[in-house]
Amino acid sequence: MTTKRIIGFVLLAAAALFGLADVWHTYVPAYGQDTITMGRLWLLVSARSLSAAETMIERHLWAPIWEFGFSPLLVAPAWSFFSVLGGLFIAFGRPKVADNA
């Protein structure tokens, strides 16, 4: 098994855990948690870097990159982002097939 496939399986496991957390918060809303989005996850990890990235992209680069590129990713559920990324790692991490012909 290649390193890329291992990373892919770890990302898929994280996606499953985020999906289970979303299901839990749907059926047990007593804790007052909303769905776990990528923006909320980034905010929990480092709020300053989120603000700095937004400021840098909007001021120094082209402002619609933030609006149409990053904003849709930030409102996406965390489980969908990690599952797509894990699937890509697994797909591109397959070992090469040797030609025996």
Side-chain angles (χ1 to χ4, degrees), residues 52-93:
E54 181 180 9
T55 304
M56 182 186 71
I57 290 172
E58 285 185 345
R59 286 188 187 167
H60 301 294
L61 295 173
W62 196 37
I65 291 175
W66 183 262
E67 294 174 17
F68 299 112
F70 285 102
S71 290
L73 289 176
L74 293 177
V75 297
W79 63 265
S80 66
F81 180 79
F82 282 105
S83 63
V84 167
L85 195 60
L88 288 173
F89 266 93
I90 289 173
F92 291 118

Side-chain angles (χ1 to χ4, degrees), residues 2-95:
T2 64
T3 306
K4 289 179 187 175
R5 288 180 65 97
I6 293 171
I7 292 171
F9 285 123
V10 168
L11 289 172
L12 283 179
L17 291 175
F18 283 125
L20 286 173
D22 280 347
V23 170
W24 175 263
H25 292 304
T26 300
Y27 290 114
V28 185
Y31 294 108
Q33 299 290 328
D34 293 332
T35 59
I36 302 170
T37 61
M38 288 305 296
R40 184 169 170 223
L41 196 61
W42 192 357
L43 190 66
L44 288 172
V45 171
S46 176
R48 289 181 65 189
S49 69
L50 176 62
S51 176
E54 181 180 9
T55 304
M56 182 186 71
I57 290 172
E58 285 185 345
R59 286 188 187 167
H60 301 294
L61 295 173
W62 196 37
I65 291 175
W66 183 262
E67 294 174 17
F68 299 112
F70 285 102
S71 290
L73 289 176
L74 293 177
V75 297
W79 63 265
S80 66
F81 180 79
F82 282 105
S83 63
V84 167
L85 195 60
L88 288 173
F89 266 93
I90 289 173
F92 291 118
R94 292 178 47 201

